[in-house]
Amino acid sequence: MNATSPLRGLAALLLCVSPAAAALRVVTTTTDLADVARAVGGDLVEVSSIASGTQDAHVIEARPSTMLVARKADLLVEVGMELEIGWLGPVVEGARNPHIAAGQPGRLDASATVRRLEVPGGTLDRSMGDVHALGNPHYWLDPWNVRVIATAIASRLGELDAANAARYRGNSADFEQRVDEAMFGAPLVAKLGGDALWQAASAGDVEAALASRRAADPSLPALGGWSAKLRPWRGARVLTYHRSWSYLLDRFGLQSAGEIEPKPGIPPTPGHLAELVASCRTPPVKAILVEPFYNDQAPRLVASQIGATVLRLPLSVGGDAAAKDWFALMDHVVGDLAAALGAPAP
Amino acid sequence: MIRLARGALRPLPLALVPLCVLATTAAAQQPADIDSLRREVAASRARLDDERRRLDELEAQLASLGPAPASSPAAQPPPAAQPPPAPPPPTSAAPTPTRLRLLDISLNGLFAAGASTASDDALALLEAGGHDPHQRGFTVQNVELSLLGAVDPYLKGEAHVVMQIDSSGETNVELEEAFLTTQTLPHGLQLKAGQYFTDFGRQNATHPHSWDFVNQPVIASRLLGGDGLRGPGARLSWLTPAPWYSELMLSVQNARGETAASFFGADGEPIAGHPREHPGVHAPDDMLVSARWLNSFTVTPHATLNLGASAAFGPNGSGNDASTRLAGADAFLKWTPANAQRGVPFVAWQTEIMARDFEAGAFVDETGVAHAAEELRDWGFVSQLTWGFRPRWAIGWRIDRAEGEDSDVLDASLDPLRDRRTRFSTALTFRPTEFSKLRFQHDFDHAPFLAGLPDESTDAHSLWIQWEFNLGAHGAHAF
């Protein structure tokens, strides 16, 4: 009896020291996912991102240090849709952490529930460049998708840490509310609720979808937030370097005037740039969006020919000093884009 | 989304009960805590009730706005211009397409063409690597079929079958690697079993299409063999709990065959004139045992330094209990800034040094002359710097040095595999995408053994053009 009790004590001590007592360790591939995970997990989780905000998440190196981070992860959240195809496999394998293997509860593919764009049909091959068979993976600049990601992360954290499931859900609800208010303006969200507004937005123009309600109820608060900020330029054409901005353009009713890259992942050629210059004069393109990690020489050349502004904007949280979190990132991108588009057409 | 969340909420109060019981049991020693736990449970219940109320409200709002025609008194008949069809609810994410991923298949073709001041006979000796371009004109260096995938929840499988065409035009097929790795062992352990490249230094386990130059380092060809050190066996690897990346690998493989060149080697092939025989495996020390310790350090957020040490021990068949010891050290430093465009710019420096101690047994040659046992020492190093200076382009410089101490049987200066050699290489590489490559390389070789060939200078200049294509699955890149 006396001999066993120290053993029991030791066992109890070991059990207490096991990671269950500590915060859940969440590792994300990108800073955007990390920001959402922080918002949802609060002080119950420790979050780190493998990529930094200025890096191109297509081409992260599978450095041993990243394996070390992944080794201790309770949950690995990836963007998915083949964005990390070139490096996440060796990171997970090198980490020797069976909990984060594909299909395990410790692995979350954030793309599983998002709204996807540019899912290609027909036959694909590499002569088309760096095409993603599952659709465009740059989905985190659509606020709806970030809202969905928050829900998914909260639900997964709740599975891994059932005791705090309600707190994760509560945090996620708060985050989603913030997204809704930033998107549509707080007064309108207070009046109609976020879900109703997203329902309206799914048709395209929220304001148009609300027209009948507005007619019936003149006291309905005005549209605010990012939606209001970019609404004057619905239909305006924007040129981008890579198709990293498709979700932003689609959500706010802007149109793509093409890409500086002739094909995804293929650098621009003089002939392609000449075609862009010709096609972007009428109707005029006012803004060219460039990711922090692409050379802006070609975009500047095109901009000088068509009188557009080159916007080198962060694509992810931490992409520049202003993009401190996802809301700041969106404020920054939406604000600069609105400014570059200039006075709205009458 | 709402329906789902609601469904998930219902069992929660039930689920909370056992948890609370657990929590209570755990805290049983401190009765004062029971009250606070009770308060927490009550608070949780209240929160859940709030959530449920909020969901009900939301559902009601949804219903009032929703597509159900005229069911809601608040909805005005839509203007004629507005088409009435219901917009898809924002929650309808496209169903994730199912992909059955049983096998990743890829085919890599690696070819070279070149010209040299050295004759074909001399080139065959200078380019001692099995995948090196080894003649004037064209060389099919390596056509590699790779297959890999998950075997089951516990194992991954991987195979690489290599085809080559030798100088006589004959096609050779060899099983370069085929092995399984465990995926679920605890404590950072991983077991690999099958036919595989020995973890000795950095270069040895690298496949030819991932090399930074068209040919392999001279010292690697000599000590690890033209086709690299590999063979059937099993390897245990342990990622230690150290605060930096520190991995220990221990491997046991067959010591026989041309891919164990410094050990039993290919049957009957001598080293420095000493014949070797394979007497069969009688004891554990008739196997090739190797170990590697790999460490990785984050020097700055954008620079990584890998430091490795390797050793291999095994019998060599040149005499009773004659054995070979290999030792090596390697360093790899790579810098890539955070805003690299498709991985460029980067600067990578890689250096390996390795040495061999070959216990050569006594023997009597065909002419009846007796040769005493001797120790044969060889060593060499390779150091290379690669600079990705603009997207798709990289330039690299490499220096190679290899030498062996004299043997009583065969003068090292006459032995193409032990002579003191130096090589300087410069390679310019263009990668249109990650699936293709075009490379130009200049080699300057200084090799005194060439004086033994008729009309051959001891210095040689060679120019190579190399090209590569990669079909099939998008492979991930090892660091």
Side-chain angles (χ1 to χ4, degrees), chain B residues 45-100:
Chain B
R45 283 224 177 89
R47 267 204 300 276
L48 286 172
D49 288 341
D50 278 348
E51 290 273 336
R52 193 169 294 146
R53 261 197 302 283
R54 190 169 155 259
L55 285 175
D56 288 339
E57 283 166 19
L58 284 173
E59 281 215 323
Q61 276 180 3
L62 246 183
S64 76
L65 261 178
S71 68
S72 152
Q76 295 288 316
Q82 288 266 2
T91 52
S92 71
T96 314
T98 305
R99 284 188 312 159
L100 197 57

Side-chain angles (χ1 to χ4, degrees), chain B residues 380-403:
Chain B
F381 75 90
V382 55
S383 186
Q384 64 183 57
L385 186 74
T386 320
W387 172 35
F389 58 97
R390 53 178 297 170
R392 318 210 272 182
W393 288 89
I395 189 165
W397 298 274
R398 180 179 68 178
I399 178 171
D400 263 297
R401 174 87 172 174
E403 62 179 270

Side-chain angles (χ1 to χ4, degrees), chain A residues 194-235:
Chain A
D195 289 304
L197 285 162
W198 283 111
Q199 176 93 10
S202 67
D205 185 1
V206 200
E207 196 54 30
L210 293 178
S212 52
R213 281 189 76 105
R214 215 174 264 297
D217 176 10
S219 75
L220 199 64
L223 184 69
W226 300 320
S227 305
K229 211 158 197 175
L230 281 175
R231 187 161 189 270
W233 293 282
R234 286 193 74 80

Side-chain angles (χ1 to χ4, degrees), chain A residues 54-55 61-65 71 82 86 90 93 96 113-114 126 130 144 169 192 195-196 199 202 213 293 295, chain B residues 9 58 61 65 88 90 93 99 156 188 237 240 242 247 296 298 301 304 334 336 338 341-342 435 472 476-477 479:
Chain A
T54 55
Q55 281 180 307
E61 290 169 330
R63 296 192 283 178
S65 55
R71 176 175 68 172
E82 299 184 345
E93 183 140 355
R96 312 275 168 89
T113 48
V114 301
R126 294 224 176 96
D130 200 358
W144 168 258
R169 249 194 319 274
L192 295 182
D195 289 304
Q199 176 93 10
S202 67
R213 281 189 76 105
F293 40 82
N295 189 319
Chain B
L9 270 179
L58 284 173
Q61 276 180 3
L65 261 178
R99 284 188 312 159
K156 260 189 187 163
S237 151
T240 72
E247 184 186 0
S296 181
T298 302
T304 296
K334 185 171 185 188
T336 315
Q341 176 173 346
R342 304 240 158 214
F435 304 103
H477 312 285
F479 179 73

